[in-house]
Amino acid sequence: MTDYPTGLGTSDRDTISLLGHDLAGDLLGTVTFGELAFWLATQQRPTPGQLRVFEAVLVSLADHGFTPTAIAARLTYYSAPDSLQGAIAAGLLGGGSRFLGVTEDTGMFLHTALADLGDTSGFTDEQWDAAALTLLTQTKQSGRRVPGLGHPVHKLRDPRTDVIIRIADEQGLRGAHLRLFEAIGRTNGQVLGKDLPLNGAGVAGAALADLGLPIELLRGFALLARTAGLIGHLAEERINPIAPAIYAEVDRNAVYVPAIPTN
């Protein structure tokens, strides 16, 4: 008989166990959803400070208005109102390098850079700036972009960045990922020719990485947060729909262009 081990949850006739605790007797009513999400991902219960930073990041990523992910969810719901799960999935599938995925991309970028820097525990701001300049130069020379820089709306300052950094600092969790990313924010103009602000998704990735969360799962936390936003969009779509107007606008203004034959 084959065993299928798991340290998450199991159940029998009378009980449900989760993370080594009785779900009904120990967790219901005492554990927040954010705390449980962190716990499930790390198999370690977060400290109050970790939880405060983690939930602040989730709130910062929940919704940003009519993004492509929200529009995709609303249009799918219009097409298949009997499939709420399909509409939510359609929105989540749009989480990539331009929306939502920036959180993971930034965390991974910083994590890789820090591995090359070695021990940074005693770094001054000047040392962080020097490290950031080297990293920016190498990234530019390789033809790559630095994830988490710039924002299509917040051209000067993303309003989320200072708040997330402040909360992390208050909790003693402003670690190497955030400090390197802050240095990138201070110095990128010297390499790129113009100053680009750190965006909220990038700062979120740096903050999550400083919490010790698995780097490969950071996009999952962004998707977790955005799920709440998508549910909100679908709830609003039921009452005040915009998807029919979007569909009609595109359909009525579509211009047929015959394909050019190729030999």
Side-chain angles (χ1 to χ4, degrees), residues 61-83:
L61 297 172
D63 182 61
H64 300 152
F66 289 130
T67 59
T69 58
I71 294 170
R74 286 181 180 246
L75 286 171
T76 303
Y77 187 67
Y78 174 52
S79 179
D82 51 309
S83 180

Side-chain angles (χ1 to χ4, degrees), residues 110-224:
L110 297 170
H111 196 69
T112 301
L114 287 169
D116 294 335
L117 288 177
D119 184 11
T120 60
S121 57
F123 267 30
T124 63
D125 284 348
E126 290 74 18
Q127 288 174 299
W128 282 119
D129 286 357
L133 283 169
T134 299
L135 180 59
L136 285 160
T137 301
Q138 292 173 342
T139 305
K140 181 180 180 181
Q141 290 174 347
S142 68
R144 296 178 294 131
R145 290 185 177 183
V146 177
L149 275 183
H151 194 280
V153 177
H154 309 301
K155 300 295 186 181
L156 299 178
R157 191 77 178 174
D158 190 313
R160 297 168 292 175
T161 60
D162 288 343
V163 178
I164 293 174
I165 292 170
R166 174 180 58 78
I167 292 172
D169 192 46
E170 290 172 351
Q171 302 304 318
L173 294 168
R174 187 179 174 191
H177 296 86
L178 274 173
R179 292 188 185 277
L180 178 57
F181 199 42
E182 289 177 77
I184 290 172
R186 292 191 297 266
T187 61
N188 71 82
Q190 299 177 47
V191 177
L192 304 180
K194 60 179 180 178
D195 291 318
L196 293 175
L198 304 179
N199 61 51
V203 172
L208 292 176
D210 275 344
L211 294 181
L213 291 165
I215 300 298
E216 298 81 6
L217 294 183
L218 296 190
R219 187 172 301 189
F221 300 117
L223 295 173
L224 173 67

Side-chain angles (χ1 to χ4, degrees), residues 10-17:
T10 188
S11 60
D12 56 31
R13 191 191 69 174
D14 301 313
T15 63
I16 301 173
S17 298

